[in-house]
Amino acid sequence: KAGVTQTPRYLIKTRGQQVTLSCSPISGHRSVSWYQQTPGQGLQFLFEYFSETQRNKGNFPGRFSGRQFSNSRSEMNVSTLELGDSALYLCASSLQGNLINSPLHFGNGTRLTVT
Amino acid sequence: EDKVVQSPLSLVVHEGDTVTLNCSYEVTNFRSLLWYKQEKKAPTFLFMLTSSGIEKKSGRLSSILDKKELFSILNITATQTGDSAIYLCADGGSNYKLTFGKGTLLTVNP
């Protein structure tokens, strides 16, 4: 069974630009979450989607947005990039998002560098 | 706001040593406590501890949960260089999200 797939693996963007990251969950998983990982803050929750609906959102500005498609694939978008957005963006999937019965399985992430 | 604190932040040991990693949590609605290992990119799941499962073991790794004192430990016995990684602890109690600690960077030297 294929794992969580994220594309692209690396991105270099300039301040002010926007970026779209893509995530394909494990087959059969309907919940997709996104996390930002930086050396200073660690892993921080961005948002979670299930059946194309956002069920929870973390403490990030409105420049960060996401969506989920009917096949459970997800994208996240960051507009008006800032230097502080440089981070590893991790996508994770689980069966239903209920973390009692099904832990999160993470992808390898997209390394975003903003210059 | 839910909070997860890990200690130490980093640790260097020699192969064969036993290590204990700590995780304390302050959460409003405890449901689960999870441990992940992150070597290069993707954190990989190790254990989930809940009220009905406060002790888990897999090979040289084991973890316990103390719900009264609000902490968990991850033990690794007979460490190997392949155990070098960041170990992450996370609270899984809150609305489809994990709240992570900052992690413990473990370095195992030959």
Side-chain angles (χ1 to χ4, degrees):
Chain A
K1 210 173 192 180
V4 178
T5 305
Q6 292 188 245
T7 57
R9 295 293 303 274
Y10 302 93
L11 265 177
I12 300 176
K13 290 285 187 179
T14 306
R15 270 180 301 177
Q17 289 186 312
Q18 75 163 18
V19 67
T20 299
L21 313 181
S22 182
C23 172
S24 293
I26 291 171
S27 178
H29 284 193
R30 296 172 62 194
S31 168
V32 174
S33 307
W34 289 89
Y35 289 79
Q36 181 197 64
Q37 187 174 29
T38 59
Q41 298 299 318
L43 269 150
Q44 291 188 291
F45 173 76
L46 282 157
F47 21 66
E48 189 266 357
Y49 290 89
F50 181 82
S51 291
E52 303 178 67
T53 299
Q54 185 184 89
R55 296 193 293 189
N56 198 359
K57 187 178 190 317
N59 261 349
F60 280 83
R63 301 184 296 106
F64 291 80
S65 63
R67 59 177 174 168
Q68 186 181 34
F69 302 96
S70 58
N71 62 359
S72 295
R73 195 177 68 84
S74 177
E75 289 181 347
M76 67 163 279
N77 184 278
V78 188
S79 61
T80 320
L81 284 165
E82 300 178 0
L83 294 178
D85 297 334
S86 295
L88 179 66
Y89 289 87
L90 290 162
C91 171
S93 74
S94 69
L95 281 169
Q96 307 264 353
N98 177 344
L99 299 172
I100 281 283
N101 297 323
S102 171
L104 291 183
H105 296 270
F106 284 87
N108 281 325
T110 294
R111 171 73 64 187
L112 172 65
T113 302
V114 182
T115 62
Chain B
E1 189 174 307
D2 295 347
K3 190 176 174 186
V4 177
V5 178
Q6 292 186 246
S7 64
L9 289 181
S10 66
L11 188 57
V12 180
V13 300
H14 291 288
E15 263 192 323
D17 288 351
T18 293
V19 299
T20 298
L21 310 183
N22 304 295
C23 174
S24 66
Y25 59 93
E26 297 173 23
V27 300
T28 53
N29 180 28
F30 176 81
R31 297 175 70 214
S32 61
L33 191 292
L34 295 90
W35 286 94
Y36 283 83
K37 176 183 181 182
Q38 186 175 25
E39 292 182 77
K40 288 191 168 40
K41 292 290 175 67
T44 53
F45 172 73
L46 293 174
F47 298 118
M48 178 188 291
L49 302 158
T50 66
S51 299
S52 57
I54 62 171
E55 190 165 350
K56 293 285 174 75
K57 185 174 168 63
S58 176
R60 296 178 295 103
L61 277 66
S62 63
S63 181
I64 62 171
L65 174 71
D66 187 324
K67 271 199 68 182
K68 186 179 174 186
E69 300 298 330
L70 304 183
F71 77 85
S72 175
I73 62 171
L74 177 69
N75 273 321
I76 309 174
T77 60
T79 52
Q80 303 169 357
T81 54
D83 295 327
S84 296
I86 297 172
Y87 289 84
L88 297 160
C89 170
D91 161 59
S94 179
N95 292 334
Y96 316 112
K97 78 172 192 183
L98 293 179
T99 300
F100 283 90
K102 295 274 177 75
T104 293
L105 174 61
L106 174 64
T107 303
V108 181
N109 289 325

